[in-house]
Amino acid sequence: MKTIKFLLKGLLLIAGAGMAMWFFMPWKQVGESLLLATIRRLQLSVTYSFVGDAPGGFVVEDLSVRNFMGVMDGSIRTLMIVPDLAASLLNMAPTCRISFTGGVLGDVAVTPLRKIPGVTIGNGRVMVSISAQGVLLEGLRSNGELSMNGTLLIASSAYPPIRWADVTIDVKSESFEQEMPALGNLLPLRQESPGRWLLRRAVN
Protein backbone atom coordinates (compact mmCIF):
# COMPACT_ATOMS: atom_id res chain seq x y z
CA MET A 1 0.00 0.00 0.00
CA LYS A 2 2.82 2.38 0.87
CA THR A 3 4.48 1.59 -2.45
CA ILE A 4 1.28 2.43 -4.36
CA LYS A 5 0.90 5.72 -2.46
CA PHE A 6 4.52 6.57 -3.19
CA LEU A 7 4.04 5.86 -6.91
CA LEU A 8 0.85 7.95 -7.01
CA LYS A 9 2.58 10.87 -5.31
CA GLY A 10 5.45 10.57 -7.78
CA LEU A 11 3.07 10.57 -10.73
CA LEU A 12 1.24 13.60 -9.34
CA LEU A 13 4.55 15.41 -8.88
CA ILE A 14 5.60 14.63 -12.46
CA ALA A 15 2.18 15.67 -13.78
CA GLY A 16 2.31 18.91 -11.77
CA ALA A 17 5.79 19.72 -13.06
CA GLY A 18 4.66 19.00 -16.60
CA MET A 19 1.62 21.26 -16.22
CA ALA A 20 3.78 24.04 -14.82
CA MET A 21 6.23 23.75 -17.72
CA TRP A 22 3.30 23.74 -20.17
CA PHE A 23 1.74 26.81 -18.54
CA PHE A 24 4.97 28.82 -18.55
CA MET A 25 6.13 27.64 -21.98
CA PRO A 26 7.50 30.53 -24.14
CA TRP A 27 4.85 29.94 -26.80
CA LYS A 28 6.00 32.75 -29.06
CA GLN A 29 9.41 31.11 -29.51
CA VAL A 30 7.86 27.63 -29.76
CA GLY A 31 5.41 28.95 -32.36
CA GLU A 32 8.11 30.48 -34.52
CA SER A 33 10.13 27.23 -34.39
CA LEU A 34 7.14 25.04 -35.30
CA LEU A 35 6.12 27.41 -38.08
CA LEU A 36 9.62 27.34 -39.57
CA ALA A 37 9.75 23.54 -39.28
CA THR A 38 6.46 23.19 -41.20
CA ILE A 39 7.59 25.66 -43.85
CA ARG A 40 10.80 23.68 -44.37
CA ARG A 41 8.97 20.33 -44.45
CA LEU A 42 6.50 21.48 -47.12
CA GLN A 43 9.05 23.69 -48.90
CA LEU A 44 6.70 26.66 -48.77
CA SER A 45 7.26 30.34 -49.51
CA VAL A 46 5.61 32.02 -46.53
CA THR A 47 5.40 35.52 -45.07
CA TYR A 48 3.64 36.75 -41.92
CA SER A 49 3.46 39.98 -39.96
CA PHE A 50 3.42 38.80 -36.33
CA VAL A 51 3.74 35.78 -34.02
CA GLY A 52 2.46 36.17 -30.47
CA ASP A 53 1.29 34.28 -27.40
CA ALA A 54 -2.21 32.83 -27.12
CA PRO A 55 -3.85 30.63 -24.43
CA GLY A 56 -1.99 27.30 -24.58
CA GLY A 57 -0.30 28.18 -27.85
CA PHE A 58 0.43 31.03 -30.21
CA VAL A 59 -1.16 33.13 -32.95
CA VAL A 60 0.18 34.12 -36.38
CA GLU A 61 -1.22 37.17 -38.15
CA ASP A 62 -1.41 38.03 -41.86
CA LEU A 63 0.00 34.71 -43.07
CA SER A 64 0.55 34.41 -46.84
CA VAL A 65 1.62 31.31 -48.77
CA ARG A 66 3.04 31.61 -52.28
CA ASN A 67 3.11 28.99 -55.00
CA PHE A 68 1.52 26.24 -52.86
CA MET A 69 1.82 22.89 -54.71
CA GLY A 70 3.28 24.94 -57.54
CA VAL A 71 -0.06 26.39 -58.69
CA MET A 72 -1.76 28.59 -56.08
CA ASP A 73 -1.39 31.30 -53.45
CA GLY A 74 -3.32 31.72 -50.22
CA SER A 75 -3.64 33.94 -47.17
CA ILE A 76 -5.07 33.78 -43.65
CA ARG A 77 -5.84 36.79 -41.47
CA THR A 78 -5.26 35.03 -38.12
CA LEU A 79 -3.97 31.53 -37.42
CA MET A 80 -4.13 30.17 -33.86
CA ILE A 81 -2.01 27.08 -33.13
CA VAL A 82 -2.36 25.11 -29.91
CA PRO A 83 0.06 22.15 -29.48
CA ASP A 84 -1.69 18.98 -28.28
CA LEU A 85 0.65 17.14 -25.90
CA ALA A 86 -1.56 14.05 -25.48
CA ALA A 87 -2.08 13.62 -29.23
CA SER A 88 1.63 14.20 -29.87
CA LEU A 89 2.54 11.39 -27.47
CA LEU A 90 -0.16 9.12 -28.92
CA ASN A 91 0.88 9.78 -32.53
CA MET A 92 4.61 9.90 -31.73
CA ALA A 93 4.67 13.04 -33.89
CA PRO A 94 4.27 16.78 -33.25
CA THR A 95 0.51 17.46 -33.28
CA CYS A 96 -1.45 20.66 -32.83
CA ARG A 97 -4.96 22.06 -33.12
CA ILE A 98 -5.30 24.94 -35.56
CA SER A 99 -8.10 27.45 -36.04
CA PHE A 100 -8.09 30.25 -38.60
CA THR A 101 -10.05 33.27 -39.78
CA GLY A 102 -10.16 35.16 -43.04
CA GLY A 103 -8.84 32.39 -45.28
CA VAL A 104 -8.54 33.23 -48.99
CA LEU A 105 -7.43 31.03 -51.88
CA GLY A 106 -5.73 33.26 -54.44
CA ASP A 107 -5.58 32.89 -58.22
CA VAL A 108 -4.88 29.31 -59.33
CA ALA A 109 -2.60 28.59 -62.29
CA VAL A 110 -4.40 25.76 -64.09
CA THR A 111 -1.92 26.07 -66.98
CA PRO A 112 1.31 28.11 -67.35
CA LEU A 113 -0.68 30.70 -69.32
CA ARG A 114 -4.05 30.59 -67.54
CA LYS A 115 -5.14 31.45 -64.02
CA ILE A 116 -8.61 31.25 -62.52
CA PRO A 117 -9.83 33.82 -59.94
CA GLY A 118 -9.52 33.07 -56.26
CA VAL A 119 -12.24 32.36 -53.69
CA THR A 120 -12.73 32.75 -49.93
CA ILE A 121 -12.14 29.81 -47.58
CA GLY A 122 -13.42 31.75 -44.56
CA ASN A 123 -12.98 30.53 -41.00
CA GLY A 124 -12.18 27.00 -39.95
CA ARG A 125 -10.16 24.50 -37.96
CA VAL A 126 -7.99 21.42 -38.42
CA MET A 127 -5.78 19.00 -36.45
CA VAL A 128 -2.26 18.86 -37.89
CA SER A 129 0.50 16.32 -37.25
CA ILE A 130 3.98 16.24 -38.80
CA SER A 131 5.74 12.95 -39.52
CA ALA A 132 8.21 11.38 -41.94
CA GLN A 133 5.30 10.82 -44.36
CA GLY A 134 4.47 14.51 -44.52
CA VAL A 135 1.82 16.71 -42.94
CA LEU A 136 -1.51 15.12 -42.00
CA LEU A 137 -4.57 17.39 -41.79
CA GLU A 138 -7.44 15.73 -39.91
CA GLY A 139 -10.94 17.07 -39.32
CA LEU A 140 -10.47 19.94 -41.74
CA ARG A 141 -13.42 22.37 -41.67
CA SER A 142 -13.99 25.72 -43.37
CA ASN A 143 -17.06 27.85 -44.07
CA GLY A 144 -16.22 30.20 -46.95
CA GLU A 145 -17.30 30.26 -50.59
CA LEU A 146 -15.10 27.17 -50.82
CA SER A 147 -15.99 25.10 -47.74
CA MET A 148 -14.17 21.88 -46.93
CA ASN A 149 -14.78 18.91 -44.67
CA GLY A 150 -12.37 15.98 -44.42
CA THR A 151 -8.80 14.71 -44.08
CA LEU A 152 -5.73 14.71 -46.31
CA LEU A 153 -2.02 13.92 -46.25
CA ILE A 154 0.41 16.30 -47.96
CA ALA A 155 3.83 14.83 -48.76
CA SER A 156 6.91 16.97 -48.32
CA SER A 157 9.06 15.93 -51.28
CA ALA A 158 7.05 13.69 -53.58
CA TYR A 159 4.72 13.87 -56.55
CA PRO A 160 1.80 14.10 -56.40
CA PRO A 161 2.00 16.21 -53.22
CA ILE A 162 -1.44 15.06 -52.01
CA ARG A 163 -0.72 11.42 -51.20
CA TRP A 164 -4.07 10.59 -49.58
CA ALA A 165 -7.32 12.53 -49.34
CA ASP A 166 -10.97 12.21 -48.38
CA VAL A 167 -12.40 15.73 -48.49
CA THR A 168 -15.86 17.03 -49.42
CA ILE A 169 -15.78 20.49 -51.02
CA ASP A 170 -18.88 22.67 -51.33
CA VAL A 171 -18.52 25.56 -53.80
CA LYS A 172 -20.82 28.53 -53.23
CA SER A 173 -19.26 30.78 -55.90
CA GLU A 174 -20.83 30.20 -59.33
CA SER A 175 -17.81 31.61 -61.17
CA PHE A 176 -15.41 29.31 -59.26
CA GLU A 177 -17.77 26.35 -59.72
CA GLN A 178 -17.45 26.76 -63.48
CA GLU A 179 -13.68 26.45 -63.15
CA MET A 180 -13.65 23.31 -60.99
CA PRO A 181 -13.27 20.95 -63.99
CA ALA A 182 -10.02 22.74 -64.84
CA LEU A 183 -8.77 22.08 -61.31
CA GLY A 184 -9.52 18.41 -61.91
CA ASN A 185 -6.45 18.40 -64.17
CA LEU A 186 -4.30 19.27 -61.14
CA LEU A 187 -6.06 17.54 -58.25
CA PRO A 188 -7.95 14.22 -57.81
CA LEU A 189 -11.38 15.91 -57.96
CA ARG A 190 -14.71 14.54 -59.09
CA GLN A 191 -18.16 16.11 -58.97
CA GLU A 192 -20.76 14.46 -56.76
CA SER A 193 -23.58 16.96 -57.45
CA PRO A 194 -23.95 20.62 -58.51
CA GLY A 195 -21.82 22.67 -56.12
CA ARG A 196 -20.34 19.61 -54.38
CA TRP A 197 -17.01 18.03 -55.25
CA LEU A 198 -14.96 15.23 -53.72
CA LEU A 199 -11.19 15.36 -53.32
CA ARG A 200 -10.28 11.68 -53.12
CA ARG A 201 -6.99 9.84 -53.42
CA ALA A 202 -6.18 6.36 -52.14
CA VAL A 203 -2.92 5.50 -50.41
CA ASN A 204 -0.27 4.66 -53.04
Side-chain angles (χ1 to χ4, degrees):
M1 193 59 144
K2 288 182 179 180
T3 302
I4 293 174
K5 288 182 178 180
F6 178 78
L7 288 173
L8 287 174
K9 287 181 180 179
L11 289 173
L12 286 173
L13 182 62
I14 293 171
M19 289 293 289
M21 290 177 62
W22 190 259
F23 184 77
F24 292 107
M25 187 76 72
W27 288 116
K28 182 179 185 297
Q29 289 79 6
V30 172
E32 290 175 333
S33 298
L34 287 175
L35 189 61
L36 290 173
T38 303
I39 290 169
R40 284 195 298 268
R41 176 61 60 89
L42 292 180
Q43 300 177 1
L44 298 174
S45 175
V46 173
T47 60
Y48 50 90
S49 66
F50 174 78
V51 177
D53 295 323
F58 59 97
V59 63
V60 184
E61 295 183 358
D62 303 319
L63 178 74
S64 294
V65 180
R66 302 298 177 196
N67 205 32
F68 180 55
M69 295 193 295
V71 296
M72 65 186 75
D73 299 337
S75 64
I76 293 174
R77 186 168 60 247
T78 61
L79 182 74
M80 181 176 290
I81 303 176
V82 179
D84 191 319
L85 180 60
S88 297
L89 293 173
L90 184 64
N91 298 334
M92 297 299 291
T95 303
C96 57
R97 290 177 282 115
I98 293 178
S99 58
F100 59 87
T101 65
V104 176
L105 177 65
D107 294 349
V108 181
V110 292
T111 72
L113 299 177
R114 180 173 175 242
K115 290 185 177 182
I116 60 177
V119 68
T120 66
I121 298 174
N123 307 334
R125 65 184 187 276
V126 64
M127 179 78 82
V128 176
S129 58
I130 303 173
S131 68
Q133 292 181 307
V135 178
L136 179 64
L137 289 78
E138 297 182 277
L140 174 63
R141 303 284 187 276
S142 71
N143 64 0
E145 293 174 309
L146 190 73
S147 61
M148 296 174 285
N149 185 337
T151 299
L152 68 156
L153 173 65
I154 303 175
S156 53
S157 58
Y159 187 85
I162 296 179
R163 305 305 304 275
W164 181 87
D166 183 7
V167 181
T168 300
I169 302 173
D170 290 311
V171 185
K172 302 167 189 174
S173 165
E174 291 185 11
S175 60
F176 199 84
E177 166 76 5
Q178 294 173 1
E179 302 290 354
M180 288 295 285
L183 282 178
N185 297 324
L186 305 172
L187 302 170
L189 286 167
R190 67 177 178 84
Q191 188 172 26
E192 183 180 56
S193 61
R196 171 160 288 190
W197 294 73
L198 303 177
L199 178 65
R200 295 275 170 83
R201 172 161 280 152
V203 177
N204 294 328

